[in-house]
């Protein structure tokens, strides 16, 4: 299982104490998911939340800040555009013009995101016989 997480601290809205949130992304059953588990060190305030699909930007930014960006690159610049477009449209539910833009980014410089996001995209592309590599720490 591919997973990445980070701990974020802030003030508790209930008591002003130290609020600790463990946030992260993971892949479960072929789906990109995210989660938050929070608790206050000074009061009983606590919760757990999970979701699938698009990760809240606060979680993405915390992961990128803590772990750095990851780049997904094509291994063969001559790869057929058809399976790339199909995979990208499936992943992000994109109309064809936007899928072409993302495919262009992938073919030229690579796509950049969190480790889990890039591993998720890589798995979908590999499932369509597109050779890719995931490069950690590649902003």
């Amino acid at each position: 299982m591919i997973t990445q997480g980070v701990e974020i601290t802030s003030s508790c809205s209930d008591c002003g104490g130290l609020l600790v949130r463990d946030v992260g992304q993971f892949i479960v059953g072929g789906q990109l998911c995210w989660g938050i588990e929070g608790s206050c060190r000074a009061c009983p305030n606590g919760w757990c939340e999970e979701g699938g699909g698009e990760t809240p930007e606060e979680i993405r930014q915390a992961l990128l800040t803590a772990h750095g960006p990851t780049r997904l690159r094509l291994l063969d610049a001559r790869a057929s555009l058809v399976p790339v477009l199909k995979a990208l449209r499936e992943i992000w539910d994109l109309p064809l013009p936007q899928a072409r833009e993302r495919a262009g980014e992938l073919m030229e410089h690579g796509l950049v995101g969190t480790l889990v996001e890039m591993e998720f995209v890589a798995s979908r592309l590999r499932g369509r016989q597109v050779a890719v590599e995931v490069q950690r720490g590649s902003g």
Side-chain angles (χ1 to χ4, degrees):
M1 175 159 89
I2 304 291
T3 184
Q4 191 174 53
V6 66
E7 185 177 275
I8 302 172
T9 58
S10 60
S11 295
C12 177
S13 60
D14 288 356
C15 74
L18 180 64
L19 181 67
V20 179
R21 293 178 291 155
D22 290 313
V23 301
Q25 283 183 316
F26 45 94
I27 299 171
V28 174
Q31 297 299 312
L32 179 63
C33 302
W34 56 270
I36 303 172
E37 186 175 316
S39 64
C40 179
R41 305 286 172 153
C43 76
N45 185 12
W47 76 97
C48 183
E49 183 180 356
E50 277 188 12
E54 190 171 334
T55 301
E57 194 59 27
E58 178 185 17
I59 295 174
R60 289 190 76 252
Q61 289 308 312
L63 293 170
L64 290 167
T65 298
H67 301 287
T70 297
R71 186 175 302 273
L72 176 67
R73 293 189 183 275
L74 285 177
L75 289 177
D76 181 0
R78 298 168 295 147
S80 171
L81 190 58
V82 173
V84 171
L85 288 172
K86 284 183 178 182
L88 296 179
R89 290 187 75 195
E90 175 185 284
I91 293 164
W92 289 301
D93 193 28
L94 297 173
L96 189 55
Q98 287 179 326
R100 283 185 188 275
E101 277 182 40
R102 289 259 175 109
E105 289 174 41
L106 176 63
M107 293 177 152
E108 190 171 333
H109 305 291
L111 297 176
V112 176
T114 68
L115 170 66
V116 177
E117 290 166 345
M118 295 303 98
E119 288 287 357
F120 178 71
V121 175
S123 70
R124 294 292 178 95
L125 288 165
R126 290 177 184 132
R128 294 194 177 272
Q129 312 309 309
V130 177
V132 293
E133 69 175 342
V134 176
Q135 300 173 327
R136 289 180 167 199
S138 300

